[in-house]
Amino acid sequence: MKIVVMCGIGLGTSAILKVNAERALERLEIDASVLATDVAGVRAAAADAQVILTSSELVDAIGKTNADVIVINNYFDVDELVVKLDIALGS
Amino acid sequence: MSLPHLPLDAITIGAHADDWPAAITAAGDALVRSGAATSAYTERMIGVIREFGAYIVIAPGLALAHARPGADVLTDGLCVVTLVEPVAFGHPHNDPVSVIVGLAVAGADDHLQFVAELANVFNDPTVIPALAGATNAEFVQSVFDRTAS
């Protein structure tokens, strides 16, 4: 399973989201790879991804995708990530 | 790789900012003052928000100001600015912002690891309010140095 985290320039905020998404997946005991990307690269990166995690501000920039787009409000709140990933990936 | 040391001259307590570009400029000034970047980097941090929006407001009250590595980054650096009056960045959930963490990274490869360390600092939900209420730079420095080791 593949999860993409996206921010504007692909470093900085997406790196934080990647670390905490990995912590959430570990808690859910879900085996998935998490890839950080930027607006420019999201289409290619998400082609075979199940989920895209990003900010509410960037949802429109994703365009058409088959992945579930999940908006994360607080990037430091692993509990928020656990709840939203659990709903999306259903365990 | 741990966070770069946060020097006292990269910390501004109680800055006044009328709007978000002024708040980002305060963070840029702190990076310039501490020798991490030139003022051109400040403009690029503002440009990221103009291009992509307020997504850098990644938690309630906290903005992570940064841009891509570039010639205007002199060395890896971190700064912290607290605002007297919180400023709206235009984020639907996390406004207003009272703490700005500024990040300058010389090489793209460094970025991931050292930003991951920031997650370790801020995963403690008491940290943002504590920083927002800080009355001196030494306190802010201690918050970051505690987790840097």
Side-chain angles (χ1 to χ4, degrees):
Chain A
M1 188 182 306
K2 182 174 165 189
I3 291 170
V4 168
V5 297
M6 184 188 94
C7 78
I9 58 177
L11 24 85
T13 56
S14 59
I16 287 173
L17 195 50
K18 175 177 154 71
V19 169
N20 282 337
E22 285 168 348
R23 286 176 180 153
L25 289 165
E26 201 170 308
R27 231 191 262 177
L28 290 164
E29 295 182 354
I30 293 173
D31 189 22
S33 63
V34 183
L35 178 76
T37 188
D38 61 4
V39 167
V42 70
R43 193 168 291 237
D48 58 346
Q50 211 134 346
V51 170
I52 301 171
L53 301 176
T54 193
S55 162
S56 55
E57 297 301 282
L58 296 174
V59 169
D60 291 345
I62 295 171
K64 265 186 89 141
T65 176
N66 290 323
D68 284 337
V69 177
I70 303 178
V71 168
I72 303 299
N73 295 324
N74 184 343
Y75 282 27
F76 295 116
D77 185 355
V78 178
D79 292 339
E80 179 184 346
L81 280 156
V82 166
V83 168
K84 290 181 175 175
L85 283 170
D86 194 26
I87 291 168
L89 300 173
S91 55
Chain B
M1 179 186 165
S2 61
L3 284 170
H5 176 65
L6 179 65
L8 288 174
D9 62 1
I11 301 167
T12 305
I13 301 293
H16 292 269
D18 289 338
D19 51 21
W20 70 258
I24 298 294
T25 301
D29 289 347
L31 290 171
V32 171
R33 197 166 62 224
S34 60
T38 70
S39 58
Y41 187 71
T42 306
E43 293 306 314
R44 292 204 297 120
M45 290 196 293
I46 292 171
V48 166
I49 302 167
R50 291 209 195 282
E51 184 172 2
F52 298 110
Y55 83 92
I56 66 149
V57 186
I58 55 173
L62 180 88
L64 180 68
H66 64 298
R68 291 188 171 90
D72 47 13
V73 177
L74 305 175
T75 180
D76 289 349
L78 192 65
C79 75
V80 175
V81 173
T82 69
L83 301 175
V84 173
E85 297 284 343
V87 163
F89 274 61
H91 192 284
H93 296 281
N94 296 332
D95 267 348
V97 169
S98 48
V99 179
I100 299 127
V101 174
L103 198 62
V105 180
D109 290 345
D110 297 346
H111 219 107
L112 283 179
Q113 192 48 44
F114 116 46
V115 175
E117 292 294 329
L118 275 180
N120 292 335
V121 176
F122 285 101
N123 280 1
D124 176 350
T126 66
V127 163
I128 296 172
L131 290 176
T135 53
N136 60 75
E138 286 78 8
F139 171 78
V140 172
Q141 189 179 49
S142 73
V143 168
F144 283 82
D145 282 355
R146 200 189 316 150
T147 6
S149 56

